[in-house]
Amino acid sequence: MENKILLEIVTPYGSVFSDQVDEFSATGSEGEFGVLPGHAPFLTTLKIGMLTYKKGQETGFFFVNSGYAEIGPDKATILADSAERAEDIDIERAKAAMKRAEERMKQAEKIDFARATAAIQRATIRVQVAEKKGSK
Ligand code: ATP
């Protein structure tokens, strides 16, 4: 399709999004990047962050939990450990996950800091993304 790019967001839990969009941006390991139709092919790792797309007047926001992005001129695939649309994020669940991870952090010797830190990052970004409202 001319001037559109097929954006697919896939997780082990299933397909989260698949649609032709005008543009999107995501959070790569090296920072945020934007993609328009016709983009040169590239592959990048993703860190816990936000993905935003535009399709006409429609704007959407997703939480994306790490993974890979494979970009081609007319198709982009986001393979993430988990991902949710802003409207589908359960803020109370994210806050509860954050609280659990913070409690684990206090048990200094016993814990896996990298794991607890990642859980806090996921919860923090989920709450930020949930506060964004998409438009149709
Ligand atoms: P939790 O400890 O609450 O499970 P988590 O960060 O460990 O949080 P993930 O491993 O990222 O969870 O995701 C597991 C599944 O639960 C995925 O399908 C993900 O989309 C979903 N999920 C996790 N947290 C939320 C949330 N706050 N709102 C909606 N879906 C969520």
Side-chain angles (χ1 to χ4, degrees):
M1 203 182 283
E2 223 176 296
N3 282 328
K4 295 265 190 231
I5 181 164
L6 175 63
L7 172 62
E8 294 199 320
I9 306 176
V10 183
T11 77
Y13 305 94
S15 171
V16 176
F17 183 80
S18 177
D19 203 358
Q20 301 280 350
V21 303
D22 297 323
E23 59 181 284
F24 72 93
S25 65
T27 313
S29 306
E30 309 296 326
E32 196 187 332
F33 60 90
V35 175
L36 291 165
H39 202 292
F42 77 104
L43 190 65
T44 186
T45 49
L46 300 171
K47 63 180 183 186
I48 295 165
M50 182 160 69
L51 181 149
T52 306
Y53 75 84
K54 283 194 182 141
K55 180 186 178 181
Q57 298 304 306
E58 182 182 327
T59 309
F61 300 93
F62 286 88
F63 163 81
V64 175
N65 175 18
S66 316
Y68 298 89
E70 187 182 9
I71 317 296
D74 56 7
K75 184 179 175 185
T77 307
I78 307 292
L79 288 171
D81 293 341
S82 52
E84 303 101 43
R85 195 184 258 279
E87 290 82 352
D88 296 332
I89 293 174
D90 178 341
I91 296 186
E92 292 313 313
R93 177 173 167 177
K95 287 183 176 167
M98 193 180 309
K99 209 169 165 198
R100 279 199 307 278
E102 283 170 352
E103 289 301 321
R104 283 203 300 274
M105 284 282 203
K106 288 182 192 156
Q107 304 177 323
E109 308 93 49
K110 293 184 214 155
I111 68 143
D112 178 343
F113 268 99
R115 188 174 159 190
T117 303
I120 289 173
Q121 275 178 351
R122 288 196 299 276
T124 303
I125 303 287
R126 275 189 172 113
V127 171
Q128 284 173 11
V129 174
E131 284 163 357
K132 300 268 181 191
K133 285 274 170 281
S135 62
K136 291 231 172 185

